[in-house]
Amino acid sequence: MNVTTSAQGTWLRSYHPTPEGRPRLVCFPHAGGSASFFFAFAKALAPSVEVLAVQYPGRQDRRHEPCVDDLARLADEIAEIMPAWADRPPAFFGHSMGATLAFEVALRLGERTDAVGPSRLFVSGRRAPGRHRTETVHLRDDAGLIDELLLLNGTEPGVLLDDDVLRMVLPSLRADYRAIERHVVRPGARVDCPITVLVGDADPKVTVDEARAWREHTTVGGTDMSVFPGGHFYLNEHRPAVVDLITSALAPHASI
């Protein structure tokens, strides 16, 4: 395993190095998630696509840092380190909260002269910014947060039975839910790149229509959409299909 150790490596992890000139994909985890969620995806995409996974503060090797419970601030901090990767346009992939965060980082990069915005935005398991729901998961007690994990079915059952692991996981989970549930995207916000939408047909957090509305948030005509059987973590069941979709979409960006 090769983990980036430069200054920007505080935020980005590279688990499976790829040859020069391959398309680059920056992956943003879901609420409570960490960079390692994309370890298997990075392995499956290599060597065709270089994957950099974002590591939020307050988890795994950054567990001693305070969590960031403000999505705008989180986007600001990530956007600050992206110019270091301006040698070629990356694509962004965000799942759930990560989709909104990837969108916000893309907006910020579009306003900078020293950075390269994403070549494509993949948004997974998240309703479009203009489709608001009032949610208060972050106000629940610990048992309520665990109920949310059970609903989404994306956490190994053993984790929920281990008090020590829960003590490490719940603070970052609560901070992330606080960040995403209080976040409001500015009206009319649009990115200057294509958007590919991925969603599970039985996702309790987003309907197909709410996901389809991402087409309202790009200046580029035509938004691709793929609907998979499954719930919020359909990704775990359909990884090969998602990998094929990403590889095909990014193939034109290879420089070799």
Side-chain angles (χ1 to χ4, degrees):
M1 182 189 304
N2 177 31
V3 179
T4 307
T5 56
S6 57
Q8 62 266 29
T10 300
W11 286 94
L12 299 175
R13 303 288 175 272
S14 174
Y15 296 114
H16 300 283
T18 58
E20 292 291 331
R22 300 301 166 94
R24 176 177 292 151
L25 182 68
V26 179
C27 295
F28 297 74
H30 53 283
S34 59
S36 61
F37 177 76
F38 292 106
F39 182 89
F41 273 91
K43 183 176 181 180
L45 284 164
S48 300
V49 177
E50 175 192 17
V51 173
L52 299 176
V54 178
Q55 187 75 295
Y56 307 142
R59 62 215 72 198
Q60 291 188 335
D61 57 334
R62 301 189 70 185
R63 63 186 178 278
H64 298 303
E65 300 177 44
C67 298
V68 177
D69 63 359
D70 182 305
L71 200 79
R73 193 179 118 213
L74 200 56
D76 287 342
E77 296 194 29
I78 296 170
E80 281 296 317
I81 58 96
M82 290 309 300
W85 302 91
D87 57 310
R88 62 184 185 272
F92 286 176
F93 182 102
H95 181 64
S96 194
M97 179 190 83
T100 301
L101 180 57
F103 178 74
E104 288 286 0
V105 174
L107 290 175
R108 285 156 174 75
L109 294 180
E111 297 169 351
R112 299 178 64 132
T113 59
D114 63 341
V116 179
S119 59
R120 179 175 292 272
L121 180 62
F122 296 90
V123 291
S124 168
R126 183 67 185 172
R127 60 187 176 275
R131 297 298 185 266
H132 178 71
R133 290 189 190 185
T134 299
E135 295 179 309
T136 57
V137 174
H138 71 279
L139 297 177
R140 298 180 186 176
D141 59 14
D142 288 352
L145 286 179
I146 293 172
D147 286 343
E148 180 74 2
L149 293 178
L150 291 170
L151 171 68
L152 300 182
N153 196 31
T155 305
E156 290 292 334
V159 170
L160 303 180
L161 298 175
D162 190 319
D163 289 340
D164 291 335
V165 174
L166 281 176
R167 277 195 294 271
M168 289 189 292
V169 170
L170 290 179
S172 61
L173 181 67
R174 187 181 302 281
D176 288 352
Y177 269 99
R178 187 181 297 118
I180 189 60
E181 291 181 343
R182 298 187 305 175
H183 183 69
V184 178
V185 176
R186 70 174 183 263
R190 295 187 296 175
V191 293
D192 296 322
C193 68
I195 296 178
T196 295
V197 184
L198 304 91
V199 66
D201 61 4
D203 191 334
K205 304 297 287 187
V206 53
T207 67
V208 172
D209 285 342
E210 287 174 323
R212 187 178 289 115
W214 276 100
R215 63 189 177 188
E216 302 167 8
H217 295 277
T218 174
T219 61
V220 180
T223 298
D224 301 328
M225 182 167 178
S226 295
V227 181
F228 297 87
H232 193 60
F233 285 95
Y234 73 90
L235 282 169
N236 295 333
E237 304 165 47
H238 301 286
R239 184 180 300 130
V242 175
V243 166
D244 287 347
L245 184 155
I246 293 171
T247 302
S248 177
L250 297 186
H253 298 282
S255 60
I256 57 172

